[in-house]
Amino acid sequence: MSIDMSEKGFEELIEQHLIQSGYTKRINADYDPHFCVDKGMLMHFLETTQKEAIDILKKRHGVYFEQRFFKRVSDQIKKKGIVKVLRDGIRDGDVKLSFYYKKPASVLNAQSIQNFRSNVFSVMRQVHYSEKTPHKSLDMVLFINGLPIITLELKNTETKQSFVDAIRQYRNDRDYNEDLFKLGRCLVHFAMDDQEVYMTTELKGKNTTFLPFNKGHNYGKGNPPNPNGFKTDYLWKEVLEIGSLANIIEKFAQLIEEKDEDTKKIDRKQIFPRYHQLQVVRLLLDRVKQDGTGHRYLIQHSAGSGKSNSITWLAHQLTETKNQSGEKNVFDSIIVVTDRKVLDKQIRDNIKQFAQVDGVMAAATKSSELRKFLEAGKKIIVTTIQKFPYVVEDIGELSNYRFAIIIDEAHSSQGGNTAGKMNAALSKVQQEEEEEKTLEDKINEFVESHRMPPNVSYFAFTATPKNKTLEIFGEAHPDDTFAPIHIYSMKQAIEEEFILDVLKNYTTYESFYKLYKNIEDDPRFDSRRAQAKLKNFVETHELTIEKKANIMIDHFLDKVYQPRKVNGKAKAMVVTRSVISAIRYKQAFDKILKERKVDIEALVAFEGSRTLDGKTYDESSMNGFPGGDIPKEFKKDKYRFLIVAEKYQTGFDQPLLHTMYVDKKLDGVQAVQTLSRLNRSYKPYKRETFVLDFYNSAMEIKSAFDPFYKTTILSEATDPNRLNDLYEELAEPQVYTEEEVMDLMEKYLNGSSREAIEPLLENMVERFKHLSYDEKVKFKTRAKGFVRTYQFLSQILPYNQEDWTALATTLRLLVPKLPRISDDDLSEGILDAINIDSYRVDQKETQNITLEGETILDPAPTVGGGHGNDPKLEYLSEIVRDFNEKFGKDLTENDSVRKFMLEELPQKVAEREEYQNTKKYSDRQNAKITFTRLLEEVFQEHMFDQFEMYQKFMENEEFREWYTDKMFDTDYRF
């Protein structure tokens, strides 16, 4: 017998599996298109489960029973939506009817189990859904107790059709005015084939939006190969399985209302989970049942993942999650901590609408409210990270409660002391003073208060996990790496078109400028600091900013505004390096736009106020309205540019943003978060983005994005011996003694007055003052690194180290008192002695930056920047000459040679892992030895491309030493 490879055979296969798993088969003649119901099945269910109620209605309505009853059911579904009708039932007069029995939360309730088994899940093929066009039919419809809940259009790639044809059929051939396709009548409509699945919850004709409902493959779109069958059989074998579908109806699906804050219009929206949302919530709930409290889970979900809904579903379902025995809830309360006020409101609104019982959610703004909310039975408490420290103050007695803490953007919400304070507040137990505690006892308690307590579990959501985040919240693997428990990657979000790829059409600009001395004398300055000041001087100069502002406006008008990108509504963000730069850009934009008589304007955003040229500026004075109104005002059509300085670079959601002009160094997570302001889709009009970058190279941006493109893994745990090494190095300059440290710690823990501690600290400060410049820099840098690393390790190590704790506490109090090392700035006056001779900006190539992903991060370094180098004094003329040699451009010079020698070659060396490790973990001397050796090796690889320069480098010892020193100093300094 031959295998049926037709679409009909595909239909039969799915139907057969559903029937075998518990569905009942129905024929299309059973369907009533007028009332959108399988009348026979609905009456069978009601007469089996609620016969007395149905008999009352039959007697009351007599011969009109069928017409009146089914009209009442149909009208209630139109009004409330199928989800609410299934969950709550309906009333017909004084008679209450249930149309679905919920899945029992516990296996201990026999009656609930029996009720649930009374539900009839049925499948019907070739359903003639329309009275107006009775010849048209749907491939498949799923019902619960005779009420339709899911429609499916099935295609078969073996017959040269795909899900695309199914989508086209829904959009073009299915009249969305038919009752079956109206919003809320069904949970979801699936368009699928044997390779991929797409879904929509509302048909709108040609404007219908279909979303992928795929697992993802290689961190991208689509589905992985299935060794046991079709790539898409997870839909009918897993998602549509009776228990799973019941869970979706009861816990996930929802008809919500969304209010437009500008128009005040209220729209209804049917919510159905995407596959990864369903998967992550179920995975976390299963783990909680197994693990109980006191665990950490890291979820790496990209922008566009629908994180707010995932957090909402998780919060609600955690409130009801039972332990393995099913006897009690795992958690007493769920605390949702968000990092942004806008998201805070969004999540609060979501949680309220998804709540099936009133009064489960509250927003906490101060510590006294937490206990009150718990006693009032508030299961979900929402707060922002800014408010959280106040929420957890003075609540030590809450150790008897079990908490789940859901964190949005874990890396920013869980830094430093905030996490320690959170842990301390939620875990502290009031103890009876049975005996005198030793200093060691007190230190152990102090360390324990900074550890994750056993009554708290963390669920940390982030798109961009850092190494510390991975180690604190990630899952430890047998090979000592740390990874997220669940991933929805940036790659998948881009390929599934939930966000746009901001690295396409990425254009970089290169600045060239020359300086001249404007004084006769030739004083000496610290060249390292002078070089940094000179670069900042040039890039924030009015001449420079006006030239770049003209480039930005030219580009926007010619490439964005006039071609009417985003349906003529496109906007741009200008990212500046400082508030002073932002003010000057605003002034330049206002001047240029006015001169060109263009009817668009720019807004500026920065915190506080600044005085420039004797005048004070702030947002309100420059924009003409309060700073808090910027997001609302920027929506207006006349405002097309938003100039920002350390504001609106994270958490700002404006889908009309199409273009970004970057004039600031962007590193790591900051680069991803800043550029991601552009990635919000605005279908069907926004199909691409543009970035013009005046500061960063394409390679630098690629390096920033790569760790988060697929998945991020931590290579190993932080080595606690790094703290031991720092501990020994900090003791060498003898700023403090061990006895002083322990004395200070004892006074601190005993609550001594500041007067008792101050003399100890002052003695240390005096000793610090007598150190050399190099020793001061090293001590201060290592002290900060020790405190930072201790705060991190104390949360995750399984043991206490009292001398670490005592030293960290001492240094935390000491470092703010240490005098600034740069008070005697040997570059002071450099800006008064120079001026700009010329400035030019050349566009480099526009390119699509291709990412690779699957980056493995190193553990967090224990010591930051700030290498202790004695000032290098040079004459002003030499500094200006070197500066112009490095950044200037003579028109007769060879651009490619200059670029290779001053940018590409040193960057290739700097990126070598061997040099990075030496630079990070060893001293300057070893770093230079490694740099020098690698420089020759890398140069040899390019000797045929740059033969003349390679020959000069190898044969001219003076040039080789000068070039090596300059390139190493430039890299090591930054």
Side-chain angles (χ1 to χ4, degrees), residues 842-858:
D842 286 357
Q843 179 178 330
K844 297 169 79 174
E845 61 179 338
T846 299
Q847 56 186 297
N848 296 337
I849 300 176
T850 304
L851 300 178
E852 297 168 7
E854 295 186 84
T855 302
I856 297 179
L857 301 182
D858 292 324

Side-chain angles (χ1 to χ4, degrees), residues 931-945:
F931 184 94
T932 303
R933 176 171 53 79
L934 291 174
L935 181 64
E936 287 192 24
E937 292 179 9
V938 175
F939 212 159
Q940 285 177 1
E941 297 171 5
H942 297 272
M943 60 182 294
F944 295 109
D945 300 328

Side-chain angles (χ1 to χ4, degrees), residues 156-209:
N156 183 9
T157 55
E158 287 292 334
T159 56
K160 308 302 181 185
Q161 285 197 311
S162 72
F163 70 88
V164 176
D165 298 289
I167 288 174
R168 187 181 300 116
Q169 202 166 13
Y170 269 121
R171 284 176 174 162
N172 300 334
D173 296 342
R174 306 295 178 234
D175 184 355
Y176 60 91
N177 290 310
E178 292 282 353
D179 280 349
L180 184 62
F181 300 131
K182 286 183 177 177
L183 179 66
R185 173 67 75 166
C186 288
L187 302 177
V188 66
H189 308 280
F190 285 116
M192 61 175 293
D193 57 29
D194 49 292
Q195 303 290 313
E196 295 193 55
V197 182
Y198 277 70
M199 73 172 194
T200 186
T201 56
E202 182 177 10
L203 294 186
K204 298 179 180 179
K206 293 182 178 180
N207 295 322
T208 303
T209 299

Side-chain angles (χ1 to χ4, degrees), residues 442-507:
K442 293 178 181 179
I443 289 176
N444 287 339
E445 286 183 16
F446 186 77
V447 173
E448 287 292 342
S449 74
H450 287 72
R451 283 228 186 95
M452 192 188 72
N455 63 320
V456 178
S457 288
Y458 291 102
F459 303 82
F461 286 77
T462 180
T464 51
K466 295 181 179 178
N467 41 22
K468 284 189 178 181
T469 311
L470 282 159
E471 193 165 352
I472 292 175
F473 298 106
E475 194 165 41
H477 289 182
D479 60 357
D480 293 329
T481 60
F482 293 79
I485 192 174
H486 193 271
I487 298 162
Y488 179 79
S489 69
M490 182 190 302
K491 180 186 179 190
Q492 187 171 352
I494 290 170
E495 291 185 359
E496 292 187 341
E497 298 184 355
F498 287 106
I499 59 174
L500 299 172
D501 185 355
V502 299
L503 300 188
K504 286 187 176 180
N505 309 311
Y506 204 100
T507 304

Side-chain angles (χ1 to χ4, degrees), residues 296 414-428 442-454 458 472-473 745 748-749 787-800 805-806 808-809 812:
R296 294 164 287 190
Q414 281 299 102
N417 284 325
T418 304
K421 190 170 186 179
M422 182 179 352
N423 291 339
L426 296 177
S427 67
K428 194 182 298 178
K442 293 178 181 179
I443 289 176
N444 287 339
E445 286 183 16
F446 186 77
V447 173
E448 287 292 342
S449 74
H450 287 72
R451 283 228 186 95
M452 192 188 72
Y458 291 102
I472 292 175
F473 298 106
M745 187 64 184
Y748 181 80
L749 290 176
V787 173
R788 183 174 61 248
T789 307
Y790 169 80
Q791 288 172 345
F792 170 59
L793 286 176
S794 65
Q795 299 178 61
I796 60 176
L797 289 180
Y799 53 84
N800 302 339
T805 305
T809 304
R812 187 164 52 83

